[in-house]
């Protein structure tokens, strides 16, 4: 079985406090209260902050209140922006401190939807990728375990596609809320392609 593409990998037990083994890694979220160890600096998303994320390859966001305000990341209150952070030659560690857990991943891209006049962002988006149907299914089940994504629809999709892994099968799973945030998986599966994608959306509570 092919390994997962290292766009999003499981962070260590030290960070999440609760991880499950998925072949060669995946993005994870702890469903129990957890805190990052050691000194930490929350990410800023102004120009200088984005450059610092690229340099340090780490982004930590505080959503323990259930929202991520624009001011908390160095942007003006009510500004209409959609920051996009791309690491062109590696991965960054993404950590989102949620009300009742920690969402952690290794990724090369991070997007935030702030195209409005609100004081907070509507969502954080990142991507999970796999090179086989088996690893794709493992990522889905990991989301069920860690985010509280409903298992019935997830297992239904997996069962349906397992008999025809060469076909296409896009599907949006209902959000999980076990971290105190709404985490949604948009499945973008095409068996004719080498890489399969899950678009992960993290929404305020």
């Amino acid at each position: 079985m092919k390994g997962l593409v290292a766009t999003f990998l499981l962070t260590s037990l030290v960070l999440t406090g609760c991880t499950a083994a998925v072949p060669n890694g995946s993005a994870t979220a702890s469903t129990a209260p957890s805190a990052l160890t050691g000194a930490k600096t929350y990410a800023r998303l102004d120009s200088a902050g984005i450059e610092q994320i690229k340099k340090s390859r780490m982004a930590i966001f505080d959503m323990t209140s259930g929202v991520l305000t624009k001011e908390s990341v160095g942007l003006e209150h009510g500004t209409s922006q959609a920051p996009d952070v791309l690491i062109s030659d590696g991965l960054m560690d993404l950590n989102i401190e949620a009300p009742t857990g920690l969402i952690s991943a290794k990724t090369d891209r991070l997007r935030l939807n702030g195209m409005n006049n609100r004081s907070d962002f509507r969502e954080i988006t990142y991507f999970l990728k796999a090179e086989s149907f088996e690893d794709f299914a493992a990522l889905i089940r990991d989301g069920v375990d860690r985010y509280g994504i409903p298992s019935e629809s997830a297992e239904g999709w997996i069962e349906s596609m397992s008999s025809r892994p060469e076909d296409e099968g896009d599907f949006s799973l209902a959000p999980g809320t076990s971290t105190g945030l709404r985490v949604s998986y948009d499945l973008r599966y095409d068996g004719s392609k080498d890489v399969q994608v899950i678009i992960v959306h993290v929404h305020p509570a």
Side-chain angles (χ1 to χ4, degrees), residues 7 24 48 55 79 87 95 100 121 136 147-148 158 169 191-192 194:
T7 301
N24 294 328
K55 180 179 178 180
T79 186
I87 306 294
N95 295 288
T100 56
F121 291 99
F136 196 74
Y147 302 105
I158 292 171
S192 67
D194 293 332

Side-chain angles (χ1 to χ4, degrees), residues 127-164:
F127 302 85
L128 301 174
K129 296 182 180 180
E131 292 183 337
S132 71
F133 175 79
E134 292 79 8
D135 286 346
F136 196 74
L139 282 176
I140 295 170
R141 289 178 171 134
D142 188 61
V144 170
D145 292 341
R146 301 185 178 284
Y147 302 105
I149 291 171
S151 61
E152 184 175 353
S153 60
E155 290 298 331
W157 185 91
I158 292 171
E159 181 178 357
S160 173
M161 291 301 299
S162 63
S163 61
R164 50 187 182 90

